Amino acid sequence: MNFDRITEKLEILADAAKYDVSCSSSGAKRNNQNKGLGNSTGMGICHSYTEDGRCVSLLKILLTNHCIYDCAYCVTRKSNDIKRAAFTVQEVVDLTINFYRRNYIEGLFLSSGIFKDADFTMERLVLVAKKLRLEENFNGYIHLKSIPGASDELMKEAGLYADRLSINLELPTEKGLKLLAPDKNREDMIKPMNYVKNEIIVFKEEKKLFRNTPKFAPAGQSTQLIIGATQENDLEIIQTADSFYKNYQLKRVYYSGYVPIADDARLPSLQSKVPMVRENRLYQADWLMRFYGFKADEILDPNLPFLDLDVDPKLSWALRNQHVFPIDIQKADFEMILRVPGIGVKSAWKIIEARRFSHLNETHLKKLGVALNRAKYFISYGLHFGNLKFLNNSNLKQFILGNTKSKYQDQYNAQLALF
């Protein structure tokens, strides 16, 4: 093995992989078998944390940055004058095992440019996972990026060896994809997603009948959307995400702010970076849809198609719907309690349980984890409460902002100053 050449490849292909953000906790569990290597931790993705506080990471690389496509937003597009490299299948297997033995990683995130066609590339990605599982007896976490247009047979095999499969939609709308990646077809992305969804359903049904049914993508599938490369508003973006959650049972949709990399008339100028806070607001809106029962057209509407960058989407919704407040914390149902800014899912369940035994007050709510700096303007305790006098005030937003300071504000400002 030429170590200098491997090191050079690793530098090139690890750097190229950093633009893919669809890499985080999975919820998968793959137990060590036959004295093999590794355990899938369930949180084993890129400097994430397990429930007991351990920091775990994975090797995140491309198989190659050669690509037959010329997507305007992509750093590895064929017309870009960059240094190219490609790993062999065995090189990726050896790197993964050697990094694991040195306790650098607990899993692998593997994506790729397109060598010559979808199946040719996907076959090599699958072969890496297959060799790790069968030849190296590796039981750690594996996340494979599926290649648009790959055959059902290869997707089937990929699901048997990988914990999670994902395929990037890349841009929120088909119109945007045609503009910036005219060689690509949205249908080629959707077809593998649909296949994986159906196979996961089949696995769950067969598992009820046969205990030893082989696992198929136990951590599910995810996708990624590039934000800001085209002109879609936030409403279109979260509607796209909502549609794919419902129709393809995705575990996660990731949002990646476009990084200006090319001077192209179709793209934003090199000086126009997507604000980091916009990504954050989209993730918050995504969370509301997945865990708080909000619909996309509740969070935003055609008259207000962009998320408020000053406040989180939940508080923004509450400010626009002040007529539904105050919520009587002693009587309201779970769904309405969840709509109160400053109350999370765990706190809402605690409130439901605690109020059976006591009439709740401000002290109780603090102990239950409620962020009263926001919640106090939208709740009552069955009695008159002084902060409600601000509820119908047109300046309530400014009042809340003026009286709220995040404990992370100093670190947040320092971070933004780096960009």
Side-chain angles (χ1 to χ4, degrees), residues 7 40 71 78 101 139 147 164 166 186 269 290 404 415:
T7 301
S40 176
C71 307
K78 66 180 181 181
R101 291 187 187 279
N139 294 292
I147 305 300
R164 170 167 286 183
S166 60
R186 177 61 68 90
S269 71
R290 292 165 60 210
T404 302
Q415 185 184 23

Side-chain angles (χ1 to χ4, degrees), residues 165-358:
L165 298 173
S166 60
I167 187 165
N168 288 351
L169 286 171
E170 301 188 0
L171 295 168
T173 63
E174 190 168 1
K175 178 182 177 183
L177 190 69
K178 287 181 178 179
L179 174 66
L180 299 184
D183 295 335
K184 288 188 175 179
N185 186 341
R186 177 61 68 90
E187 186 57 36
D188 287 340
M189 302 169 181
I190 292 175
K191 184 172 175 283
M193 276 188 184
N194 197 47
Y195 179 82
V196 171
K197 179 198 76 171
N198 292 334
E199 285 298 308
I200 291 174
I201 292 172
V202 169
F203 163 74
K204 289 179 179 178
E205 292 301 316
E206 291 183 350
K207 186 68 175 177
K208 296 175 183 177
L209 302 174
F210 308 104
R211 187 171 61 180
N212 294 323
T213 300
K215 291 181 178 180
F216 185 89
Q221 62 176 330
S222 60
T223 193
Q224 173 177 309
L225 298 174
I226 298 171
I227 308 305
T230 45
Q231 298 300 312
E232 292 90 0
N233 57 48
D234 292 340
L235 175 59
E236 291 175 294
I237 292 167
I238 63 174
Q239 283 176 333
T240 296
D242 188 42
S243 172
F244 278 85
Y245 278 130
K246 291 175 179 176
N247 296 324
Y248 299 95
Q249 300 179 14
L250 298 188
K251 289 289 187 180
R252 287 292 303 273
V253 174
Y254 294 86
Y255 308 93
S256 175
Y258 169 67
V259 179
I261 57 172
D263 190 7
D264 189 310
R266 297 170 294 172
L267 293 167
S269 71
L270 292 174
Q271 287 71 43
S272 59
K273 292 184 179 180
V274 176
M276 185 170 57
V277 69
R278 186 184 180 195
E279 273 188 49
N280 184 46
R281 295 294 182 232
L282 284 166
Y283 277 113
Q284 290 173 326
D286 185 278
W287 203 262
L288 292 182
M289 293 189 296
R290 292 165 60 210
F291 300 111
Y292 286 75
F294 282 79
K295 298 178 181 177
D297 56 4
E298 284 184 287
I299 300 171
L300 292 170
D301 62 53
N303 296 321
L304 189 71
F306 286 95
L307 293 165
D308 192 334
L309 300 185
D310 292 333
V311 296
D312 66 82
K314 190 177 179 184
L315 177 55
S316 180
W317 177 85
L319 291 171
R320 297 195 313 271
N321 293 273
Q322 294 183 36
H323 62 279
V324 306
F325 297 102
I327 299 298
D328 186 343
I329 212 71
Q330 204 67 32
K331 299 178 180 178
D333 60 23
F334 177 75
E335 288 72 20
M336 285 309 302
I337 293 175
L338 273 183
R339 302 239 163 181
V340 177
I343 299 181
V345 176
K346 289 183 179 180
S347 295
W349 280 119
K350 289 178 182 179
I351 289 169
I352 295 293
E353 290 299 311
R355 71 187 187 185
R356 295 165 53 200
F357 307 101
S358 175

